[in-house]
Amino acid sequence: MVVVSKSAIEQFSYTRTNKPTTALFTQIPLVDLSNPDSKHQITKACEEFGFFKVINHGVPMEFISLLESEATKFFSLPLCEKQETGQPKPYGYGNKRIGIHDDVGWVEYLLLTTNQDPNLHRFQSFRLALSNYMNSVKKMACEILEIMADGLKIQPRNVLSKLLMDEESDSVFRVNHYPPCPEVQPLNDKNSNGNGNGNVIGFGEHTDPQIISVLRSNNTSGLQISLRDGSWISVPPDHNSFFINVGDSLQVMTNGRFRSVKHRVLSNSEKARVSMIYFGGPPLSEKIAPLPSLMRGDQQSLYKEFTWFEYKRCAYNSRLADNRLIHFEKIAAS
Ligand SMILES: C=C1C[C@]23C[C@@]1(O)CC[C@H]2[C@@]12CC[C@H](O)[C@@](C)(C(=O)O1)[C@H]2[C@@H]3C(=O)O
Ligand SMILES: O=C(O)CCC(=O)C(=O)O
Ligand SMILES: [Fe+2]
């Protein structure tokens, strides 16, 4: 992605979106982790949006800044050096292509599994920055999952967090770099209708398959979430905070009470965006099903039984925008 020559760009047709974007999301649910009432805020946000912003998160700023500067350094290397980390099959360095099908975005990325030493032997300082950051963010993710359990009034409170703490936890880490895209019409362009027309997709719409995703980015905009009515809302960036997404697995474990959030990233014409996301997942053998302590009376599961291995296999064979849970929904009896 560093070499943004015309010929390299022309190999890909841009994915554009004509769907309108609503105004900037000013009412983004905000959760202060130091607030004893945060369980109510988290429950409400997960039910309404499947998404919220976290402040007073306890992740040292030093770890955050260091990882961002190491990532920026890595992405500024020549393409061949970045490719030495291996192709994203599924873990490694990727450029424009996302997943195994034809999904493309104006993005380059590094995708890692958290339970294997990354293939970054030539990048010791990057490795160390990743390890400090990941451990700290995982701790925060577990704290949030425990507060969620309190909010849902389920016991034990580590019923969700233990899945991320498990040695076999199948969690993923991703660093995305979205270079400024010359084809995007700036918002003040007289030809732009301000509705998002002419926007280039950085990362296409999707839900995250895991339990919980913890996202942090630099101060460049681009992230949008989709509301239940299908409208798209821009999330104002905040480099000091984290954004939490409910993943598909948590939707199933709460029998649909929490909803996985559809989101995407639009390219920016002027500024590069760097984001880092921890995707907290269960062990491959874990059965993904509504938590028994959440089910009331004769309440039925909305989903067929499956393991995380089965869901992941199906998810990694699907296109980015596909509804992956649909294959696991029980057909309602008429
Ligand atoms: C097109 C794809 C990329 C993805 C695997 C998939 O087949 C569908 C889900 C995608 C996603 C979205 C969230 C995370 O970024 C990701 C790592 C994941 O677990 O599921 C990606 C996958 C990927 O980039 O390989
Ligand atoms: O880069 C971002 O801000 C979000 C990317 C994303 O949704 C993903 O990698 O799954
Ligand atoms: Fe995502």
Side-chain angles (χ1 to χ4, degrees), residues 8 13 27 95 131 167 176 204 211 221 242 300 314 328:
S13 50
Q27 280 161 350
N95 192 322
S131 156
E167 267 185 23
N176 291 322
I211 298 173
S221 61
F242 286 87
Q300 298 287 308
C314 171
F328 297 90

Side-chain angles (χ1 to χ4, degrees), residues 163-234:
L163 302 173
L164 271 54
M165 291 306 292
D166 195 303
E167 267 185 23
E168 303 284 310
S169 152
D170 181 41
S171 296
V172 180
F173 194 77
R174 167 171 219 136
V175 192
N176 291 322
H177 173 228
Y178 304 87
C181 179
E183 295 288 315
V184 176
Q185 285 173 9
L187 270 179
N188 56 5
D189 188 319
K190 63 178 172 17
N191 298 317
S192 157
N193 61 12
N195 266 345
N197 288 5
N199 277 321
V200 172
I201 294 290
F203 204 114
E205 65 180 75
H206 65 283
T207 58
D208 295 342
Q210 294 80 2
I211 298 173
I212 187 170
S213 314
V214 183
L215 183 154
R216 189 258 162 198
S217 78
N218 66 353
N219 252 346
T220 303
S221 61
L223 179 65
Q224 298 192 322
I225 63 166
S226 168
L227 302 187
R228 287 188 188 210
D229 65 5
S231 61
W232 285 99
I233 299 286
S234 295

Side-chain angles (χ1 to χ4, degrees), residues 21-30 45 48-53 221 223-228 231-238 243-245 261-262:
T21 298
T22 324
L24 216 60
F25 195 14
T26 46
Q27 280 161 350
I28 177 167
L30 178 67
E48 282 181 20
F49 300 102
F51 182 82
F52 57 94
K53 168 168 154 172
S221 61
L223 179 65
Q224 298 192 322
I225 63 166
S226 168
L227 302 187
R228 287 188 188 210
S231 61
W232 285 99
I233 299 286
S234 295
V235 178
D238 179 353
F243 293 94
I244 308 297
N245 291 351
V261 62
K262 200 190 278 179

Side-chain angles (χ1 to χ4, degrees), residues 98-99 103 111 174 203 206 208-210 279 315-316 318 320 324:
I98 300 169
D103 292 296
L111 203 47
R174 167 171 219 136
F203 204 114
H206 65 283
D208 295 342
Q210 294 80 2
F279 302 94
Y316 275 61
S318 67
L320 202 49
R324 286 171 268 282

Side-chain angles (χ1 to χ4, degrees), residues 33-81:
L33 273 196
S34 65
N35 180 341
D37 198 36
S38 60
K39 65 178 181 209
H40 301 301
Q41 300 168 339
I42 292 182
T43 312
K44 191 163 178 275
C46 292
E47 287 172 347
E48 282 181 20
F49 300 102
F51 182 82
F52 57 94
K53 168 168 154 172
V54 171
I55 56 169
N56 286 322
H57 44 70
V59 178
M61 207 51 217
E62 177 197 340
F63 291 173
I64 299 175
S65 317
L66 200 61
L67 182 57
E68 186 177 324
S69 74
E70 287 295 329
T72 306
K73 220 161 70 185
F74 174 81
F75 288 119
S76 67
L77 290 171
L79 186 61
C80 56
E81 287 185 41

